[in-house]
Amino acid sequence: MHNFVEKIIKFKWFIAIIIPVIAITLSLQLKHLSFEGSYRIWFAEDSKIIKNYDNFRDIFGNDQAITVTFKNEDTVFNKESLGVIQRITDKFWQTEYITRVDSLTNYQYVHTDKEYPDEIIVEDFIEDIDALDEKTLEEKKQIVLNEDAIINRLISSDAKTTTIVARLSPQAGESPEVSLKLKALTEAIIAPEIQKYGYQFYLNGGPIVNSSFIEIAQADGALFTPLTLVISMLILLIIFKKFSSMLTSISIVIFTILIVLSIQVVLGYKLNNFTVNMPVFITAIGIADAMHILWIYTVARKKGMDNETAIHYSVRKNFLPILFTSLTTAVGFASLGISNVIPIKTLGIATANAAILAFLLTILFVPAILAILKPKIEPQDDSENKSTKFAKWYGAFIVKFDKRIFIATLFLFIGLGYGITKVQVDSNTVRYFKEDVPWRQTVNFIQDNISGPMTYEIIVDSKQKDGIKDPKFLLEVERFYEAFYAEFPKEVRHITSLLQVVKKFNEVMANSKTVPDNQNLIAQYLLLYTLSLPQGMEINDQMDIEERQFRISAAMNVTNTSKDLKMLHWVNNWWETNTEYSARVDGQTAMFAHMQHDVTDTLIKSISIAIVVVSIMMLLIFRNLKMLPIYVLPNILPIALVVGLMGWLSIDIDIGVAIAGAIIIGVAVDDTIHFLVKYFEVRKTGANMQDSLTYVMQYAGSAIIFTTIILSLAFSVFVFSDFLPNYMFGVVTASALVIAVIADLLMLPAILSMIENCKTKKEKECK
């Protein structure tokens, strides 16, 4: 170790220059940095969920759309509101990437000609708005309120709220650039209507969601990294009272951020709502490493050591602890690499590499800078040193009250931990956003005023070609409607399919709003309807080319993913057990519901891997199998207790908490390792328990407390995110790190003190 430090001191200028040069050179790649907001980023390329969804789109077309919803407090059946609907509809038809538009005005109304009752007419529901008088408007309103196909879909049951649906071309929803462009085009379409009439429009659909992901990620990246750096710089300045120490620590962080992000760009990765937070994680990791080097260096200088001796002393004392903590931190992040949720996987692997890189830069750059700068630190008498006085008080306090500390922390932890039995998992995409985010407000408005904002695409297999025209099959579809509404009355808002078209034709032709008992008649109805439709309004998105598979779209209220999964299972099970047909549920709502399994797996597997690997590393470091559970306990407790607290507060586990689990273990174990390394180091000298704990606090405890303050504040910045998984990650991680300090500096030493007392008593009894 001595020769290693000597080499650093000898080549200090080279190290101090080459590291910034490498970082700055690589950072030239950051001009290509971009953001990703597509739904596909949440799934692996070979994901079965994605394959099923792609298969659905190949058969039925794109299920993504942009919807524009607004409300007239009186009724939309006036010339002003209908004019707004018609103009927006017409403009959408002329918009790039839009292949179909459905609205109240162009709804294909099926009816008979008044002069020729035997002739069926299919036409736009409202054409010449200027020609409508009050009586006609009221008649139109009454007609619509009896149209099953659009009531609670395109217009609310009170006729006050309406929605225009612009369906996207097959590949339009894949590109973040297209999503942002479509959002801008939609805003341009509604802008004149807002200016003239003052309506508040609510935008929904794939491009709006994708844009929300991107915009929040950009906002988080622009705010959190600078804020974390500023907070860290202020705390470092308060602790060390030297700009040189603060700038040295921050330099490690900045170099690591630049290198890691540049490598991500080179490898073709884009930032998303999770990876955009890498700089915050790297800041926490890098500062923790530099903090310990600088703290011991400062202690050594205050004891009267010269600059080079203090550098040797600090590196020798810290090399192995920092190496071990970097490895355990890397393990915590790397355990996320097993996740099937791609943003989590990318974040885990990249940040694990950052932990190792931060160690290398710290162990090389910090000593080199200290050798160059030679900070002036006046020697101090230990008796006058506040940190020394606190360390002595701490050692005496733990030894005197060890049993009380252990019992108090034990009861506290058991009480909090019991909440784990009450916790639930939820990965609903809507609930990824805070209530004041425009898209979240849109979803709430739609649910409160017109229909369910989420959609299940239920594909029923009739088992034979042309099977969807079989009266028996359509009667089963009708029976499914009734059963689904009855089973989930609070969740199912509207169900639509070609069933309504068939029943509408039969109502017009035979004055019976039922399914005809003749397959040929059903076929004629569908053919007549198809031939009557204008270009772009075809029904080929409602069935496959063989007319075997039948699409049912169900508008659903927002619920937690556990309920979603229950409903998805119910749908599949109903068709399997009650009919000779089969069904599956596709669409993005179902996709993200199934992602709950991945979130749960990420939480369980990543924490399990982190615990196992950390335990093995602790065993290799301290070589005491009997004491291993005690060494590992302070690292498991934080996440267990925070999750328990969430259970008590009825807060669901989301994807942010799933990420936090393994990271907390990886970061919290750093404190334990620093504590135990210093503890066993001084115990080997023959020091008693009180003196040992005093030494630990002086050489590690203070640094542990300061790094926890920095880490907690760094992760706390996530509470300002509009992306709730980030918010929850910040709350959970910051809280857990505080609990980790309590466990490491109170519970762990109390247990060690009690064990030491037991050994002493046994030795006396033996004598």
Side-chain angles (χ1 to χ4, degrees):
M1 185 59 65
H2 179 82
N3 291 335
F4 172 72
V5 178
E6 281 296 315
K7 287 283 195 300
I8 294 175
I9 294 173
K10 181 179 179 180
F11 296 103
K12 55 183 179 292
W13 282 105
F14 175 78
I15 293 171
I17 293 171
I18 194 65
I19 289 176
V21 167
I22 291 173
I24 293 170
T25 302
L26 285 173
S27 69
L28 297 176
Q29 296 295 323
L30 295 180
K31 63 184 178 182
H32 303 298
L33 194 65
S34 59
F35 290 82
E36 177 65 85
S38 169
Y39 64 89
R40 287 186 175 271
I41 67 172
W42 303 97
F43 305 92
E45 289 184 8
D46 60 349
S47 166
K48 184 180 178 181
I49 296 173
I50 283 290
K51 288 180 179 178
N52 289 342
Y53 181 63
D54 286 343
N55 181 59
F56 160 76
R57 295 209 311 174
D58 287 342
I59 297 173
F60 297 97
N62 197 349
D63 67 325
Q64 291 199 62
I66 287 183
T67 68
V68 177
T69 305
F70 73 95
K71 183 176 184 177
N72 185 308
E73 292 296 340
D74 295 323
T75 179
V76 296
F77 279 92
N78 57 69
K79 292 184 179 182
E80 177 188 291
S81 296
L82 292 175
V84 171
I85 297 169
Q86 192 168 66
R87 284 190 295 275
I88 293 176
T89 301
D90 292 342
K91 288 178 182 178
F92 264 135
W93 274 116
Q94 301 165 26
T95 301
E96 187 179 7
Y97 307 114
I98 301 298
T99 60
R100 172 174 177 153
V101 187
D102 290 285
S103 70
L104 179 62
T105 56
N106 79 340
Y107 165 62
Q108 296 305 292
Y109 176 47
V110 180
H111 62 105
T112 55
D113 191 306
K114 291 181 179 180
E115 295 183 8
Y116 304 97
D118 293 334
E119 184 178 338
I120 293 182
I121 298 174
V122 180
E123 63 182 355
D124 288 354
F125 184 58
I126 296 174
E127 294 180 319
D128 187 359
I129 295 174
D130 293 333
L132 300 175
D133 55 25
E134 291 297 324
K135 181 181 178 182
T136 307
L137 285 170
E138 183 60 28
E139 289 175 354
K140 291 282 188 182
K141 176 181 174 181
Q142 295 307 316
I143 290 171
V144 159
L145 294 179
N146 288 292
E147 290 292 302
D148 294 340
I150 63 170
I151 195 71
N152 292 328
R153 184 171 74 92
L154 295 180
I155 187 167
S156 59
S157 56
D158 61 6
K160 294 180 179 180
T161 307
T162 188
T163 295
I164 300 105
V165 181
R167 193 74 63 184
L168 306 188
S169 58
Q171 301 305 316
E174 303 298 320
S175 167
E177 292 77 15
V178 171
S179 291
L180 292 170
K181 184 176 180 181
L182 276 170
K183 183 186 178 186
L185 290 171
T186 303
E187 289 172 341
I189 288 172
I190 64 176
E193 310 299 339
I194 296 173
Q195 186 175 3
K196 186 173 182 180
Y197 299 108
Y199 287 119
Q200 182 173 0
F201 293 93
Y202 295 86
L203 307 184
N204 193 19
I208 307 303
V209 180
N210 294 345
S211 298
S212 297
F213 275 119
I214 295 169
E215 289 164 358
I216 290 177
Q218 291 173 333
D220 286 354
L223 173 64
F224 295 161
T225 299
L227 183 58
T228 303
L229 289 173
V230 169
I231 291 172
S232 301
M233 290 167 70
L234 289 174
I235 296 175
L236 287 168
L237 202 55
I238 292 170
I239 294 170
F240 293 108
K241 298 180 176 63
K242 285 187 174 295
F243 276 98
S244 59
S245 297
M246 178 268 289
L247 291 174
T248 301
S249 299
I250 291 298
S251 296
I252 295 295
V253 169
I254 293 173
F255 297 152
T256 307
I257 291 172
L258 292 177
I259 293 171
V260 171
L261 287 182
S262 299
I263 292 173
Q264 289 287 296
V265 173
V266 170
L267 294 176
Y269 291 104
K270 296 181 179 180
L271 292 182
N272 55 59
N273 292 81
F274 286 123
T275 56
V276 74
N277 300 320
M278 277 195 291
V280 178
F281 300 148
I282 294 169
T283 300
I285 294 166
I287 284 179
D289 288 347
M291 168 73 77
H292 285 280
I293 293 283
L294 290 169
W295 181 260
I296 300 299
Y297 169 82
T298 303
V299 170
R301 291 298 303 275
K302 287 180 178 180
K303 286 182 175 293
M305 296 184 193
D306 61 45
N307 189 56
E308 289 195 7
T309 304
I311 293 172
H312 276 277
Y313 183 76
S314 182
V315 174
R316 186 174 72 252
K317 288 275 188 183
N318 283 296
F319 185 86
L320 286 179
I322 292 178
L323 173 61
F324 294 146
T325 56
S326 296
L327 291 174
T328 52
T329 300
V331 165
F333 281 100
S335 66
L336 298 175
I338 56 93
S339 178
N340 290 324
V341 184
I342 298 304
I344 296 180
K345 184 174 186 175
T346 306
L347 173 68
I349 294 172
T351 314
N353 292 328
I356 302 302
L357 177 61
F359 163 74
L360 294 174
L361 294 182
T362 300
I363 214 67
L364 293 172
F365 189 76
V366 174
I369 292 298
L370 290 174
I372 292 170
L373 296 179
K374 300 177 182 178
K376 291 182 179 180
I377 301 175
E378 296 296 328
Q380 292 182 4
D381 188 340
D382 263 358
S383 61
E384 299 176 0
N385 194 318
K386 291 182 180 179
S387 63
T388 301
K389 290 180 180 179
F390 174 74
K392 289 180 178 179
W393 173 86
Y394 168 79
F397 173 77
I398 296 294
V399 171
K400 184 177 181 180
F401 299 105
D402 52 6
K403 288 183 180 178
R404 294 182 186 180
I405 292 169
F406 173 72
I407 292 171
T409 52
L410 181 64
F411 276 105
L412 174 64
F413 292 163
I414 289 174
L416 288 175
Y418 182 74
I420 293 175
T421 60
K422 303 174 181 291
V423 80
Q424 294 183 338
V425 178
D426 184 20
S427 60
N428 189 298
T429 316
V430 174
R431 292 174 180 168
Y432 282 177
F433 299 89
K434 286 185 178 178
E435 292 283 352
D436 57 352
V437 173
W439 179 63
R440 181 73 184 268
Q441 292 176 338
T442 290
V443 169
N444 293 340
F445 177 83
I446 292 172
Q447 183 164 300
D448 292 341
N449 290 276
I450 182 168
S451 187
M454 315 305 287
T455 304
Y456 287 178
E457 299 293 355
I458 303 165
I459 309 304
V460 186
D461 187 354
S462 68
K463 303 294 186 180
Q464 60 181 341
K465 187 176 180 180
D466 294 326
I468 68 169
K469 301 171 185 175
D470 186 344
K472 179 183 176 183
F473 173 78
L474 289 178
L475 285 171
E476 293 294 357
V477 171
E478 186 174 45
R479 196 160 67 91
F480 168 75
Y481 274 34
E482 295 168 355
F484 201 22
Y485 278 126
E487 186 70 21
F488 303 102
K490 294 181 179 180
E491 289 78 23
V492 184
R493 296 290 294 276
H494 182 269
I495 308 175
T496 185
S497 70
L498 289 176
L499 173 66
Q500 279 101 326
V501 173
V502 172
K503 291 174 68 175
K504 180 64 179 179
F505 264 85
N506 204 45
E507 179 186 13
V508 172
M509 293 294 291
N511 200 30
S512 176
K513 201 172 183 177
T514 58
V515 175
D517 58 4
N518 186 300
Q519 182 164 339
N520 289 331
L521 184 57
I522 293 172
Q524 289 175 24
Y525 285 166
L526 291 176
L527 178 61
L528 179 58
Y529 183 65
T530 301
L531 294 175
S532 303
L533 292 172
Q535 186 176 357
M537 302 291 284
E538 296 84 0
I539 61 172
N540 53 7
D541 63 334
Q542 300 297 303
M543 57 188 177
D544 68 335
I545 195 169
E546 292 186 340
E547 299 183 358
R548 168 178 169 166
Q549 297 186 66
F550 189 82
R551 177 178 177 177
I552 302 171
S553 296
M556 313 291 294
N557 280 343
V558 176
T559 186
N560 61 53
T561 45
S562 296
K563 188 62 174 286
D564 269 322
L565 291 171
K566 178 182 177 181
M567 291 189 288
L568 296 178
H569 174 74
W570 184 91
V571 170
N572 292 331
N573 187 64
W574 189 91
W575 282 98
E576 184 177 339
T577 58
N578 291 281
T579 73
E580 61 191 70
Y581 313 110
S582 63
R584 68 181 189 275
V585 184
D586 282 313
Q588 292 196 24
T589 302
M591 284 172 59
F592 282 98
H594 287 301
M595 197 174 76
Q596 175 166 305
H597 297 301
D598 292 333
V599 174
T600 306
D601 285 348
T602 297
L603 180 66
I604 296 172
K605 291 180 181 178
S606 62
I607 289 178
S608 300
I609 291 171
I611 290 173
V612 170
V613 176
V614 164
S615 299
I616 292 171
M617 293 183 70
M618 296 282 269
L619 184 61
L620 293 174
I621 295 168
F622 301 112
R623 301 179 184 180
N624 191 330
L625 184 59
K626 291 182 179 179
M627 294 290 287
L628 184 62
I630 294 173
Y631 300 159
V632 175
L633 182 64
N635 309 303
I636 301 174
L637 277 175
I639 183 59
L641 299 181
V642 172
V643 171
L645 182 61
M646 292 176 65
W648 282 115
L649 298 176
S650 299
I651 300 172
D652 294 336
I653 289 178
D654 64 11
I655 200 168
V657 181
I659 292 175
I663 293 174
I664 289 167
I665 292 173
V667 174
V669 75
D670 295 2
D671 295 345
T672 308
I673 290 174
H674 279 290
F675 181 96
L676 291 174
V677 166
K678 296 297 185 294
Y679 174 77
F680 288 119
E681 179 184 301
V682 70
R683 292 292 285 172
K684 288 178 182 178
T685 65
N688 61 31
M689 177 57 66
Q690 183 171 325
D691 290 341
S692 297
L693 293 177
T694 298
Y695 178 88
V696 170
M697 176 54 66
Q698 189 172 11
Y699 284 88
S702 298
I704 287 172
I705 292 171
F706 291 138
T707 53
T708 300
I709 292 171
I710 293 175
L711 289 169
S712 297
L713 288 174
F715 290 127
S716 293
V717 301
F718 290 125
V719 300
F720 298 110
S721 177
D722 287 330
F723 187 61
L724 279 176
N726 281 345
Y727 175 92
M728 288 308 303
F729 172 83
V731 171
V732 167
T733 306
S735 303
L737 292 177
V738 173
I739 294 173
V741 167
I742 295 172
D744 281 317
L745 297 185
L746 288 178
M747 190 176 196
L748 176 59
I751 293 173
L752 294 174
S753 178
M754 290 166 60
I755 292 172
E756 181 66 20
N757 289 336
C758 287
K759 285 183 180 179
T760 303
K761 287 181 181 179
K762 285 183 180 179
E763 289 175 0
K764 288 181 179 179
E765 289 173 2
C766 290
K767 291 180 179 179

